[in-house]
């Protein structure tokens, strides 16, 4: 008889390989990648073939995946500094009430027990998949994308809070007080917790101490939450919000957390979602299609109506605010593992969410005409001027502090940033290596020009792409500044970003 430990090692190996293969398949055919592992999990689990069986170890690893994914969702998706206006709040109210009401009524009609606990994951939107979708269609930094993202972030937060309340319907007042205290703690002691981590970095020089300390805090907070009957995954979400600025100042730490979470936990988590699906039958499939239709229709209607408030095209707003497949999947699995819903309810719900996650981005791409088939005449040519690529410049002024510098570097995922003077002329660039050598406590009061600037290669705006590629090889610099005849910065070019444009060659 093979022990549970040995068989779990085999299962985990199969799950990782299968998840990554299915991700790649979905990527190549232009579909949302994380749905691939979910469908693979359905095939490998009891849903179809029954090759992999859920056990205590697999369940534990999946639970850890939920915690770390929600921590990163809080740290990266929810921007506490981005304050929406009154129109956004009004739109969000509409976009929450309409899907909530439609899904709740539908659950009552089909006589699903614990309808409230299912409403949150089914009716909410997900900011993680939305951000990836906006980047895919190359509108992730314009006005439309910002307004859409603000709406979805607030919808996600509202339903996360509702889910926490619905988990303890018998103690609603206590749960609301707890959530209020979590927010109060976030505002009052966020900086204190970050400083504790900074002190640990300063006094302890053991290898990877900052990474180990962060993981330890996430796990300990999760334990304390469960001890006091508060969901550990929801606590991880709020903890991510709490440590948002701390992680922004440490892109290398965030990168290691990404590798830890997205390289190991995320593929296992999404494939694990599929493993929990019970044996598929016509009833589960029909229920999944029914709720998929209701979700898409109600969320599109809500987004279409609210588009008049936020002044965005109705079709675009309706589809974009219907995106699902991130935190909602985590909440659904949490409700199953805690025993609030049965396998049947979980199975048709995850099918509905997966279908929504697949269809909404495809509809959005069609509506926005983002997936352009590049004609031969519009292909990027090595002989054309780089300015025609219309690359968005990335730079900081001399007076901006290092917190702003590292924030911009982190957002774009680059290894350095150009610094300009009051005339907008490039002076040099600040590298990630330079920032890592400076105490993070000094970021707030240190200006960009107070640190050692490295020489930045400069080219005029008529430079050709082929010449720019040669310049990158010769200088081995991460960025080149493009200026006009007066020496004023026009744009900045990074080697990796330039490579993306050349894919169409």
């Amino acid at each position: 008889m093979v022990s549970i430990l040995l068989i779990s090692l085999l299962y985990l190996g199969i799950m990782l390989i299968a998840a990554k293969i299915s991700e790649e398949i979905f990527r190549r055919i232009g579909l949302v990648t994380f749905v691939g592992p979910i469908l693979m999990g359905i095939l490998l689990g009891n849903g179809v073939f029954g090759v992999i069986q859920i056990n205590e170890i697999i369940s534990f690893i999946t639970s850890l995946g939920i915690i770390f994914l929600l921590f990163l969702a809080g740290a990266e998706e929810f921007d506490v500094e981005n304050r929406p206006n009154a129109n956004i709040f009004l739109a969000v109210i509409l976009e929450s009430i309409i899907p909530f009401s439609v899904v709740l009524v539908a659950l009552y009609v089909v006589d699903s027990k614990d309808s409230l606990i299912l409403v949150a994951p089914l009716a909410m939107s997900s900011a993680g998949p939305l951000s990836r979708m906006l980047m895919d269609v190359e509108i992730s930094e314009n006005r439309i994308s910002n307004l859409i993202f603000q709406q979805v972030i607030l919808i996600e937060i509202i339903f996360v809070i509702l889910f926490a309340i619905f988990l303890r319907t018998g103690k609603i007042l206590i749960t609301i007080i707890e959530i209020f205290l979590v927010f109060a703690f976030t505002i009052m002691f966020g900086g204190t917790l970050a400083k504790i981590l900074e002190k640990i970095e300063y006094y302890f020089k053991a290898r990877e101490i900052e990474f180990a300390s962060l993981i330890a805090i996430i796990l300990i907070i999760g334990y304390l939450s469960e001890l006091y009957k508060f969901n550990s995954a929801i606590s991880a979400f709020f903890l991510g919000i709490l440590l948002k600025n701390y992680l922004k100042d440490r892109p290398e730490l965030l990168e290691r957390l990404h590798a830890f979470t997205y390289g190991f936990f995320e593929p296992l988590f999404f494939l694990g979602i599929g493993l929990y699906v019970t044996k598929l039958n016509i009833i589960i499939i029909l229920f999944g299609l029914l709720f998929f239709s209701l979700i898409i229709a109600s969320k599109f209607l809500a987004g279409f109506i609210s588009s008049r408030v936020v002044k965005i095209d109705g079709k675009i707003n309706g589809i974009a605010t219907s995106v699902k497949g991130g935190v909602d999947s985590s909440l659904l699995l949490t409700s199953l593992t805690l025993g609030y819903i049965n396998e049947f309810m979980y199975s048709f719900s995850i099918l509905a969410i997966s279908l929504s996650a697949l269809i909404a981005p495809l509809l959005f791409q069609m509506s926005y005409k983002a997936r352009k088939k590049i004609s031969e005449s519009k292909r990027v040519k090595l002989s054309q001027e780089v300015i025609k690529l219309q690359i968005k410049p990335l730079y900081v002024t001399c007076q901006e502090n290092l917190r702003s510098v590292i924030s911009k570097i982190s957002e774009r995922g680059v290894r350095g940033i150009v610094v300009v003077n009051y005339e907008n002329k490039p002076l040099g660039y600040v590298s990630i290596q330079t920032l890592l050598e400076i105490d993070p406590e000094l970021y707030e009061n240190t200006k960009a020009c107070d640190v050692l600037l490295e020489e930045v290669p400069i080219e005029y705006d008529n430079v050709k792409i082929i010449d720019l590629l040669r310049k990158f090889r010769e200088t081995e610099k991460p960025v080149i500044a493009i200026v006009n005849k007066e020496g004023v910065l026009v744009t900045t070019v990074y080697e990796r970003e330039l490579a993306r444009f050349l894919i169409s060659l």
Side-chain angles (χ1 to χ4, degrees):
M1 188 73 177
V2 181
S3 72
I4 188 173
L5 176 59
L6 285 179
I7 197 66
S8 296
L9 291 174
L10 175 63
Y11 284 167
L12 289 171
I14 293 172
M15 288 168 67
L16 273 174
I17 293 171
K20 286 303 178 184
I21 289 174
S22 57
E23 275 184 27
E24 182 63 19
I25 291 171
F26 270 59
R27 185 190 68 80
R28 293 196 179 197
I29 60 179
L31 297 177
V32 180
T33 56
F34 69 83
V35 178
I38 294 177
L39 297 181
M40 183 65 77
I42 294 173
L43 291 174
L44 293 176
N46 293 329
V48 181
F49 297 119
V51 175
I52 295 177
Q53 300 295 321
I54 292 287
N55 59 37
E56 292 89 344
I57 295 176
I58 301 297
S59 179
F60 174 70
I61 294 292
T62 306
S63 298
L64 282 179
I66 298 172
I67 290 171
F68 285 105
L69 281 170
L70 284 182
F71 174 80
L72 282 177
E76 298 186 301
E77 294 176 13
F78 182 55
D79 189 354
V80 292
E81 296 176 357
N82 195 4
R83 298 182 180 178
N85 57 35
N87 288 343
I88 293 291
F89 281 110
L90 179 57
V92 167
I93 291 170
L94 289 171
E95 291 160 356
S96 300
I97 290 175
I98 294 175
F100 182 94
S101 303
V102 170
V103 172
L104 182 62
V105 169
L107 287 169
Y108 271 114
V109 168
V110 300
D111 197 27
S112 284
K113 296 179 180 179
D114 296 308
S115 300
L116 280 176
I117 205 72
L118 267 181
V119 172
L122 287 176
M124 73 187 295
S125 304
S126 284
L130 174 68
S131 62
R132 289 194 289 270
M133 183 183 77
L134 294 175
M135 284 188 284
D136 287 344
V137 299
E138 298 178 355
I139 62 164
S140 60
E141 294 181 351
N142 68 13
R143 172 188 166 273
I144 293 175
S145 69
N146 288 334
L147 291 173
I148 292 171
F149 201 74
Q150 285 183 2
Q151 293 173 73
V152 172
I153 281 290
L154 288 174
I155 293 169
E156 189 171 62
I157 289 293
I158 287 170
F159 279 103
V160 166
I161 293 172
L162 286 176
F163 182 81
I165 293 171
F166 295 157
L167 281 177
R168 302 167 68 188
T169 51
K171 300 179 180 178
I172 292 178
L173 182 59
I174 294 174
T175 305
I176 292 173
I177 292 171
E178 286 176 344
I179 294 171
F180 174 78
L181 290 174
V182 168
F183 272 115
F185 182 83
T186 301
I187 295 169
M188 295 172 62
F189 301 107
T192 302
L193 187 55
K195 285 180 180 178
I196 291 172
L197 287 168
E198 289 172 2
K199 294 297 182 184
I200 291 173
E201 291 177 31
Y202 182 78
Y203 288 109
F204 295 88
K205 302 302 178 184
R207 187 177 178 183
E208 298 290 352
I209 184 65
E210 68 278 8
F211 182 69
S213 302
L214 181 60
I215 299 300
I217 285 176
I218 295 171
L219 296 177
I220 292 169
I221 293 294
Y223 165 75
L224 292 174
S225 300
E226 294 290 345
L227 189 65
Y228 290 97
K229 310 301 181 186
F230 194 78
N231 184 259
S232 57
I234 304 297
S235 295
F237 181 81
F238 289 120
L239 182 63
I241 297 172
L242 185 107
L243 294 176
K244 183 180 183 69
N245 286 332
Y246 172 79
L247 289 170
K248 250 187 179 180
D249 292 342
R250 293 161 178 78
E252 78 292 346
L253 179 58
L254 189 59
E255 189 63 35
R256 291 203 291 277
L257 192 59
H258 279 171
F260 183 63
T261 302
Y262 298 135
F264 181 71
F265 283 117
E266 186 189 52
L268 292 178
F269 166 71
F270 281 115
L271 194 136
I273 285 174
L275 290 180
Y276 280 93
V277 172
T278 191
K279 191 72 175 178
L280 288 180
N281 55 47
I282 191 64
I283 302 299
I284 290 175
I285 293 172
L286 288 175
F287 267 63
L289 290 171
L290 170 65
F291 278 90
F292 156 69
S293 303
L294 291 173
I295 290 166
I296 286 291
S298 62
K299 292 187 75 61
F300 176 81
L301 176 64
F304 188 86
I305 293 172
S306 62
S307 67
R308 297 177 179 274
V309 178
V310 293
K311 296 179 174 56
I312 300 176
D313 178 83
K315 190 186 294 184
I316 295 297
N317 198 60
I319 298 172
T321 54
S322 303
V323 173
K324 296 183 65 61
V327 174
D328 47 6
S329 302
S330 304
L331 300 185
L332 190 63
L333 185 54
T334 298
S335 58
L336 174 69
T337 54
L338 292 177
Y340 286 92
I341 60 174
N342 58 37
E343 291 181 343
F344 171 75
M345 296 162 69
Y346 172 82
S347 299
F348 77 71
S349 298
I350 202 64
L351 278 179
I353 288 175
S354 298
L355 286 171
S356 302
L358 275 175
I359 300 301
L362 291 176
L363 293 175
F364 186 81
Q365 289 170 343
M366 291 167 59
S367 299
Y368 207 81
K369 298 179 181 178
R371 186 170 284 184
K372 306 171 185 124
K373 291 186 177 179
I374 304 172
S375 63
E376 288 296 322
S377 62
K378 290 185 179 180
R379 286 183 181 272
V380 177
K381 294 180 175 61
L382 291 175
S383 59
Q384 79 179 55
E385 295 176 359
V386 72
I387 198 67
K388 292 181 180 179
L389 296 180
Q390 297 182 335
I391 300 172
K392 183 177 180 179
L394 178 66
Y395 63 92
V396 293
T397 64
C398 253
Q399 297 307 308
E400 291 184 61
N401 62 25
L402 294 190
R403 187 175 294 280
S404 174
V405 170
I406 205 159
S407 175
K408 290 184 177 181
I409 286 177
S410 180
E411 279 180 20
R412 194 88 159 245
V414 294
R415 294 186 294 120
I417 189 168
V418 173
V419 180
V420 298
N421 62 15
Y422 70 96
E423 295 179 321
N424 221 40
K425 294 181 179 180
L427 300 173
Y429 78 93
V430 179
S431 68
I432 280 285
Q433 188 58 42
T434 300
L435 293 169
L436 293 178
E437 293 171 358
I438 298 171
D439 187 343
E441 292 184 354
L442 302 177
Y443 285 172
E444 197 69 45
N445 299 317
T446 306
K447 306 297 183 185
C449 282
D450 292 340
V451 302
L452 177 65
L453 299 181
E454 299 188 39
E455 183 180 356
V456 62
I458 296 175
E459 292 288 346
Y460 287 110
D461 52 12
N462 62 351
V463 66
K464 292 180 172 53
I465 293 175
I466 185 67
D467 297 324
L468 216 55
L469 290 171
R470 291 196 190 101
K471 192 80 171 182
F472 275 118
R473 284 199 299 271
E474 291 169 3
T475 63
E476 296 184 349
K477 299 287 187 179
V479 60
I480 294 176
I482 307 298
V483 300
N484 59 21
K485 291 179 181 178
E486 288 74 38
V488 175
L489 186 72
V490 175
T491 190
T492 52
V493 180
Y494 291 86
E495 192 170 16
R496 283 196 306 175
E497 293 182 341
L498 185 60
R500 292 194 197 109
F501 284 100
L502 298 180
I503 290 173
S504 60
L505 274 171

